[in-house]
Amino acid sequence: MPSAPPQPVQLACPSCGTRFRALVYTIVDGGEQPELKAALLTGQLNVAVCPSCGLASLLSAPLIYHDAGKQLFLVHVPQELNSQPQEIDRFIGDASAFMLRALPSDAPRGYLLAPRRFLTLQSLIEAIYEADGVSAEDLRRQNRYVEILTELVNQVNDDAQFSAAVQRYNAELTPEFFATLDAFINATNDAQAQMRAMLIKVREKLQAHVARAAALAAAEEVKAAIERLRAARDEELPAAVQELRPLIDYGFFELWTEQIEAAEAAGDTATAQMLTARRARILELVEEIDRAAQELFERGSALIDAVLATPDPVAALRERATEVDEGLLTVISASIAAARHAGSPELVDQLERLAATAQEIIESRLSPEDRFINELLAPETTAEATRLLRKHVTKITPELARRMNERADEEEKRGNQAVAGRLRQLAREASALLF
């Protein structure tokens, strides 16, 4: 259908009093005007931005949303306009006549005779989302993102208030939030250039905040690793270095050396000597770990190349089952990522089948208890794991509970506290079900 043009209106900024013109849309066709639909759903339709102070304000205006494909005819007239019933009926009647003229002769028309009226703009937006199959949970999250963005846009030019808001919402600045922000930016049209500029500014300032937070978190993580390795007993050091290897880099050794120099400057020779000896030992352990990792990768790569060269790689891998271990799965995973990056879908498919086969081989070596524990760890939530445990009460034995606690100990040594905690909870629940 032909688009209904926006109407120009004269406004006075409620903050600074500046007078300016803005455009107001009263009809949006979701099927024919996806850019306007996106602006409506992201809270950017009929938003006026003061050219002087940058305040963004939602304009109160009647709105009709139409989508012939979904047979939607939705109406919202803000109560604050105090429109008379006959005025609203005339507005709806004119819009309905406009749409009837634009529809093909064979298109359904009955829905235009029964418009759905909404007291709030938000309830109208929810109806659009519902027609698009968006869940209530997704909608609540989207609404929350809109609330946060609205506040950030209005405070983007005040560094102190913006920083305070970012601190309040820090936990909610997830990748999904940034994806929503990008969608808002992409939904702006040429008439919303100022709003687009403000959203881009919000994104830039948020990205800088996230980068600073990540750098601080990384620095704190390295400091914690240094303190742990300083305090570790000699016999604990190899396992601790193995766990913390991703954090041990040039910057790590720089900070360690600074501590040695600080001890020397303070005249604490004993501490300086201890730290120097431990730094040398850590370096030895790191070199051993890296050599072992390189050898593992080379062995895994050689095995993968060998089985891929055969007519039936899966059968060839099964014949060499004694060489299959968790390390091979790591190598296959890296190879899959490289094949995807290189744009080799056939190789990706072959490698994924090898990964599944390797996993089957590894699982076949496990005890019944370990296999069941792996099943219990697969669900995303503890509640789901508990339901699975209670569903298979015949598998619950004293040996299962004991093995859960053993694996919790193993995970704690690796630093996987979340997995260890989940295993201990499952062990308690299994023990309770034994009696």
Side-chain angles (χ1 to χ4, degrees):
M1 61 174 273
S3 60
Q7 303 299 311
V9 294
Q10 288 287 342
L11 303 170
C13 176
S15 177
C16 67
T18 300
R19 300 191 65 82
F20 62 99
R21 281 168 49 113
L23 297 177
V24 174
Y25 288 89
T26 56
I27 298 179
V28 172
D29 191 291
E32 300 293 332
Q33 299 168 301
E35 72 287 352
L36 290 185
K37 175 183 177 181
L40 171 61
L41 295 181
T42 56
Q44 297 178 69
L45 188 76
N46 295 342
V47 172
V49 179
C50 175
S52 179
C53 68
L55 179 70
S57 303
L58 180 64
L59 304 179
S60 291
L63 178 70
I64 284 179
Y65 179 83
H66 174 251
D67 189 326
K70 294 184 172 68
Q71 296 189 29
L72 294 180
F73 185 22
L74 315 180
V75 181
H76 166 61
V77 177
Q79 292 180 319
E80 58 266 28
L81 295 180
N82 295 318
S83 301
Q84 296 300 312
Q86 58 269 28
E87 293 176 328
I88 298 174
D89 290 340
R90 184 164 54 251
F91 170 65
I92 296 173
D94 290 345
S96 178
F98 175 76
M99 295 170 191
L100 282 169
R101 289 194 300 271
L103 285 174
S105 58
D106 58 346
R109 297 164 179 263
Y111 68 95
L112 292 175
L113 304 177
R116 293 172 60 189
R117 303 190 186 197
F118 297 86
L119 292 176
T120 65
L121 182 61
Q122 183 57 38
S123 59
L124 181 146
I125 290 173
E126 289 174 2
I128 298 172
Y129 274 118
E130 182 181 359
D132 287 347
V134 177
S135 69
E137 181 180 350
D138 289 340
L139 184 55
R140 282 194 296 272
R141 184 166 55 249
Q142 183 80 2
N143 290 341
R144 178 59 177 164
Y145 291 161
V146 171
E147 290 176 6
I148 295 172
L149 277 174
T150 299
E151 182 173 345
L152 293 177
V153 165
N154 285 328
Q155 296 177 349
V156 70
N157 292 321
D158 187 320
D159 289 341
Q161 290 191 14
F162 187 88
S163 296
V166 170
Q167 292 300 324
R168 285 197 303 275
Y169 303 129
N170 188 60
E172 298 176 82
L173 302 180
T174 62
E176 291 78 11
F177 174 87
F178 280 96
T180 301
L181 174 53
D182 287 340
F184 286 5
I185 293 171
N186 294 333
T188 54
N189 55 37
D190 292 341
Q192 299 169 305
Q194 193 166 7
M195 173 59 75
R196 182 190 297 121
M198 294 180 71
L199 287 168
I200 290 173
K201 187 174 182 180
V202 167
R203 181 174 63 185
E204 290 173 348
K205 294 185 76 168
L206 286 177
Q207 287 172 337
H209 163 78
V210 170
R212 286 194 302 271
L216 288 173
E220 290 301 316
E221 202 172 9
V222 171
K223 288 180 182 177
I226 288 175
E227 291 307 309
R228 182 176 167 189
L229 293 177
R230 280 188 59 162
R233 296 192 298 271
D234 288 344
E235 62 272 19
E236 296 172 339
L237 197 59
V241 172
Q242 176 77 47
E243 178 190 334
L244 298 171
R245 176 62 187 92
L247 298 175
I248 302 174
D249 56 11
Y250 182 78
F252 171 94
F253 284 111
E254 274 192 325
L255 289 175
W256 192 284
T257 301
E258 287 176 8
Q259 294 196 9
I260 295 173
E261 292 172 349
E264 290 173 341
D268 189 350
T269 305
T271 298
Q273 290 176 344
M274 182 277 290
L275 289 174
T276 301
R278 178 142 291 192
R279 180 182 61 184
R281 178 60 178 148
I282 291 172
L283 184 57
E284 289 176 4
L285 291 169
V286 166
E287 291 174 348
E288 290 175 10
I289 291 168
D290 290 351
R291 279 197 302 271
Q294 182 61 32
E295 290 171 3
L296 181 149
F297 188 83
E298 290 173 356
R299 286 197 306 273
S301 297
L303 177 56
I304 293 170
D305 290 342
V307 298
L308 286 177
T310 66
D312 189 343
V314 169
L317 185 63
R318 291 189 185 281
E319 290 175 1
R320 301 179 64 169
T322 56
E323 301 174 58
V324 175
D325 55 19
E326 294 288 347
L328 180 65
L329 282 176
T330 302
V331 177
I332 295 176
S333 178
S335 300
I336 289 172
R340 283 204 179 102
H341 183 72
S344 304
E346 292 183 3
L347 180 56
V348 169
D349 181 63
Q350 286 184 310
L351 289 169
E352 286 179 341
R353 283 188 280 115
L354 288 180
T357 303
Q359 187 65 54
E360 289 175 12
I361 292 171
I362 293 170
E363 291 282 342
S364 70
R365 300 174 186 153
L366 297 177
S367 66
E369 290 78 18
D370 277 320
R371 279 200 294 272
F372 186 42
I373 291 171
N374 286 348
E375 290 179 32
L376 294 171
L377 291 176
E380 292 186 2
T381 66
T382 303
E384 291 173 318
T386 298
R387 283 194 293 271
L388 183 60
L389 180 68
R390 293 175 178 173
K391 183 178 178 181
H392 298 282
V393 291
T394 57
K395 294 184 179 182
I396 300 175
T397 64
E399 175 61 25
L400 176 70
R402 183 190 65 78
R403 182 58 185 143
M404 284 177 173
N405 282 315
E406 286 179 351
R407 287 187 54 171
D409 291 339
E410 294 167 4
E411 294 299 334
E412 283 177 346
K413 289 179 181 177
R414 297 190 183 102
N416 298 329
Q417 299 301 328
V419 177
R422 191 167 177 181
L423 283 166
R424 293 207 188 281
Q425 180 178 338
L426 287 169
R428 289 193 294 270
E429 292 175 355
S431 298
L433 291 171
L434 285 171
F435 302 101

